[in-house]
Amino acid sequence: MTGKSDTEPSGDLCIRTLAMPADTNANGDIFGGWLLSQMDVGGGVFASKVAKSRTVTVAIDAMNFRKAVYVGDLVSVYATLVRVGRTSMTVHLEAWALRRRELQPILVTDGNFTYVSIDDNGHPQVIQRNDPPIAT
């Protein structure tokens, strides 16, 4: 599943950061693990807001690394709620990069992350929702 299109971000902006030289792999490109961690941070912020509690990542599905990210790119992560269950939720995350001297961001990575709401003891807890769950 992707957002509305590959030409503009969809969902809630969760995090925005600058790709730095310390985040590169041996080829000089931004390391995929760094990008994945940025997506997880953004998704965690979004999931905690939805659950109104702490959340933990339990699964990452359907990751698509579409384009490389380079030093100096401004990376933004957007989240869309896909599904809410009893204790877990699935969030579709998109990472968009705005390259230097460019006007339009490009979709670089997207995927579905599953988060579980937890209590203060780290045990799963029911997600309290006022609106109906979103079905896929």
Side-chain angles (χ1 to χ4, degrees), residues 5-108:
S5 74
D6 290 351
T7 59
E8 64 181 41
S10 63
D12 293 353
L13 176 64
C14 299
I15 190 172
R16 181 171 282 156
T17 189
L18 190 63
M20 300 295 285
D23 307 318
T24 59
N25 61 23
N27 297 320
D29 300 325
I30 296 300
F31 178 55
W34 176 85
L35 184 55
L36 184 77
S37 72
Q38 298 305 308
M39 293 176 73
D40 194 26
V41 168
V45 167
F46 179 82
S48 289
K49 186 168 73 170
V50 170
K52 299 174 189 68
S53 71
R54 291 175 53 200
T55 59
V56 292
T57 309
V58 295
I60 300 172
D61 299 311
M63 283 298 298
N64 299 299
F65 288 92
R66 299 169 182 273
K67 304 272 186 190
V69 175
Y70 303 108
V71 171
D73 286 354
L74 185 61
V75 176
S76 302
V77 176
Y78 295 83
T80 304
L81 187 61
V82 174
R83 182 196 65 79
V84 176
R86 198 172 84 74
T87 62
S88 68
M89 73 185 75
T90 301
V91 177
H92 182 74
L93 296 170
E94 298 179 354
W96 290 75
L98 182 60
R99 308 224 195 269
R100 287 180 272 187
R101 296 183 291 279
E102 295 287 327
L103 299 175
Q104 290 294 115
I106 59 168
L107 178 62
V108 292

